[in-house]
Amino acid sequence: MYDVEREKKVIRQGEIKMKKEPFVTKEQIEEIVKSYPTPFHLYDEKGIRENAKAVKEAFAWNPGFREYFAVKATPNPFLLNILREYGCGADCSSMTELMLAHELGMSGEEIMFSSNDTPAEEFVYANEIGATINLDDFTHIDFLEKTIGAFPKTMSLRYNPGGVYTLSNGIMDNPGDAKYGFTKEQLFEGYKLLKEKGVERFGIHAFLVSNTVTNDYYPTLARTLFELCVEIKEKLGIKISFINLSGGVGIAYKPDQVPNDIRVIGAGVQKVYEEVLVPADMGDVAIYTEMGRFMMGPYGCLVTKAIHEKHTYKEYIGVDACAANLMRPAIYGAYHHITVAGKEDAPCNHKYDVVGSLCENCDKFAVDRMLPKIDMGDYLVIHDTGAHGYSMGYNYNGRLRSAEILLKEDGGAQLIRRAETPKDYFATFDCFDIIKGLV
């Protein structure tokens, strides 16, 4: 959970140095709401493009590099097409994500299919469109063969080293508790079996720690995987063609955090590459990444309006968004910074709970948050919702998903997904004729 006292301390240390700046102004919001009422998710085209360019440049030293954007983070075709302009592919984990990527014209090696507990029909479709299948479990080798027959020429396996993974800055996670991936013994046996069955090109994938705010994570993971790939080559005579570092590179949700520097991260991976792979005659191995949060997170925000205030045992500000629009704070206390539009330089001298309308007491975007005085009608910008924001929305209490809007580089606004209507909510009740008269 977020430490309120720490936030107050940060504010006292200096608002100008520590505060997060929104990419949209009050004046721009006021113009947008003339056409699209709050709440809505807003995306920064300029920021997305600059970041995608930086990622491409950071790994330009590796000729085979490709970023496979994690579609689950932000499944919007307009945004996916922007990333494609910078060479990005799609990391998919379900049938519908595969269909979305394919409908946008992606096929073959542009699509990575990394799923778990996978239904047979999804393997069939992934194989049909030529996606690279990244298997999550040893038993899936037999399951895949029974499902599609002959194996594709390229296959990838997901590795889980088990234990506890610790970085130099104290960030820890526990791969041993995760449901994903092969053990080392299963991995070696899996590659041997796939080679016997005609697979010619092999990849490896691993995801160990979530949302790291450190430049050390990718280089640390890279060393683990690079050394493992050298061992696979020496013991099995199998050369790994691509190494997928997956996601885990996080963003600075809190104002006192120092954001990751993707160019430093890329250089760190290059250093380990040259130390481990090049001497092993593996200097042509391609590096892949699957960043969702880092690619899109800071370049989206949830714009909502203050519509109620309540004075009881605490001070509450009720907004027209709710956890159905952004569930991360409600389900696990995730911190999202909040800016009151037009009051960016006002003192944060009021303590509020910022809440939504769901019949759940956890429907809170902030608890005991120090903010400027909020007046009814003020617009609140909830930062860093560009990944795992809209995509995790739901319809509890009959709440409807909001619109998605792209703030163009020229300052204009483009609707890239309309808001849901009651007709959408009732669309699956085809057997109830009475419903048709309600919408």
Side-chain angles (χ1 to χ4, degrees):
M1 296 292 289
Y2 181 64
D3 187 338
V4 176
E5 293 306 316
R6 184 182 184 213
E7 182 182 8
K8 294 180 193 174
K9 181 180 178 182
V10 168
I11 292 169
R12 290 195 297 269
Q13 285 175 345
E15 291 176 11
I16 301 301
K17 179 180 179 181
M18 295 292 192
K19 71 181 182 179
K20 292 170 72 77
E21 297 283 355
F23 59 78
V24 62
T25 66
K26 179 184 178 182
E27 292 72 25
Q28 288 174 312
I29 292 173
E30 290 174 335
E31 189 63 31
I32 293 170
V33 298
K34 292 177 181 178
S35 301
Y36 311 111
T38 55
F40 52 78
H41 283 272
L42 185 68
Y43 302 93
D44 176 19
E45 180 182 11
K46 180 180 179 181
I48 293 169
R49 289 185 178 278
E50 289 178 349
N51 190 53
K53 182 173 180 286
V55 170
K56 185 175 182 179
E57 292 173 350
F59 288 90
W61 55 267
N62 184 262
F65 172 76
R66 189 191 296 272
E67 156 61 22
Y68 288 88
F69 176 69
V71 176
K72 60 180 173 288
T74 321
N76 188 291
F78 289 87
L79 303 179
L80 292 174
N81 272 334
I82 290 175
L83 295 180
R84 285 193 74 196
E85 294 180 32
Y86 298 88
C88 295
D91 165 46
C92 301
S93 59
S94 70
M95 175 74 85
T96 47
E97 289 179 359
L98 287 168
M99 293 171 69
L100 174 58
H102 189 55
E103 190 65 26
L104 291 175
M106 298 187 204
S107 62
E109 292 189 5
E110 288 183 283
I111 303 175
M112 183 72 62
F113 184 47
S114 297
S115 62
N116 68 95
D117 193 21
T118 310
E121 60 270 20
E122 298 190 1
F123 277 138
V124 171
Y125 183 70
N127 187 55
E128 286 177 354
I129 64 175
T132 298
I133 296 175
N134 181 39
L135 290 181
D136 178 68
D137 182 65
F138 183 80
T139 65
H140 290 182
I141 296 175
D142 181 63
F143 183 81
L144 183 64
E145 185 174 33
K146 291 177 180 177
T147 299
I148 67 173
F151 284 91
K153 297 300 182 184
T154 298
M155 289 288 300
S156 179
L157 301 181
R158 184 170 187 169
Y159 174 52
N160 183 332
V164 175
Y165 210 74
T166 308
L167 299 183
S168 60
N169 67 346
I171 291 178
M172 301 176 66
D173 213 336
N174 189 351
D177 274 350
K179 66 176 181 175
Y180 310 108
F182 290 59
T183 67
K184 183 176 180 180
E185 293 75 16
Q186 291 172 337
L187 192 75
F188 275 64
E189 187 62 29
Y191 284 125
K192 286 171 56 179
L193 188 56
L194 289 175
K195 184 177 181 181
E196 291 170 3
K197 293 181 178 294
V199 175
E200 299 174 356
R201 185 167 176 264
F202 300 89
I204 190 169
H205 170 285
F207 179 92
L208 304 183
V209 183
S210 299
N211 192 37
T212 61
V213 189
T214 167
N215 295 325
D216 294 338
Y217 171 57
Y218 259 5
T220 302
L221 171 61
R223 185 174 296 278
T224 297
L225 293 181
F226 294 173
E227 291 175 350
L228 179 62
C229 289
V230 172
E231 186 178 352
I232 290 169
K233 179 185 176 185
E234 292 173 348
K235 292 183 177 180
L236 301 181
I238 292 174
K239 183 179 177 182
I240 300 298
S241 298
F242 59 87
I243 297 172
N244 190 336
L245 301 178
S246 188
V249 178
I251 63 175
Y253 284 102
K254 300 176 185 178
D256 60 335
Q257 291 178 309
V258 178
N260 287 323
D261 186 331
I262 196 62
R263 290 184 171 85
V264 172
I265 292 171
V269 174
Q270 181 181 14
K271 180 175 182 293
V272 180
Y273 190 98
E274 292 173 350
E275 289 174 357
V276 179
L277 292 183
V278 172
D281 194 27
M282 297 179 67
D284 58 349
V285 175
I287 300 300
Y288 297 162
T289 57
E290 292 175 353
M291 296 181 288
R293 195 186 312 267
F294 182 83
M295 296 299 294
M296 202 68 71
Y299 313 108
C301 63
L302 176 61
V303 180
T304 183
K305 184 168 64 175
I307 59 174
H308 289 290
E309 56 185 331
K310 184 173 183 176
H311 317 286
T312 54
Y313 304 105
K314 304 181 76 173
E315 294 295 304
Y316 294 95
I317 294 295
V319 297
D320 59 3
C322 64
N325 305 109
L326 177 65
M327 72 187 302
R328 297 183 73 251
I331 61 172
Y332 47 84
Y335 178 89
H336 281 266
H337 199 65
I338 296 176
T339 295
V340 183
K343 299 181 178 179
E344 289 85 354
D345 297 321
C348 295
N349 54 10
H350 284 64
K351 184 192 293 186
Y352 296 113
D353 280 16
V354 180
V355 305
S357 60
L358 294 188
C359 297
E360 296 290 340
N361 195 45
C362 65
D363 184 17
K364 299 176 180 180
F365 295 112
V367 176
D368 292 336
R369 185 72 61 87
M370 300 304 295
L371 293 166
K373 183 181 183 302
I374 297 176
D375 298 301
M376 295 303 92
D378 278 350
Y379 295 107
L380 277 62
V381 176
I382 303 178
H383 291 247
D384 302 317
T385 70
H388 310 290
Y390 180 95
S391 65
M392 295 176 71
Y394 53 99
N395 289 128
Y396 181 60
N397 275 177
R399 294 299 174 189
L400 304 174
R401 292 177 178 86
S402 54
E404 291 184 293
I405 298 168
L406 183 65
L407 184 64
K408 303 284 287 182
E409 289 185 287
D410 62 7
Q414 178 185 356
L415 182 68
I416 57 175
R417 192 194 303 262
R418 66 167 175 80
E420 287 184 336
T421 68
K423 186 175 182 179
D424 297 311
Y425 183 81
F426 293 126
T428 53
F429 292 110
D430 289 340
C431 58
F432 293 100
D433 292 335
I434 189 172
I435 295 298
K436 297 177 181 177
L438 297 178
V439 292

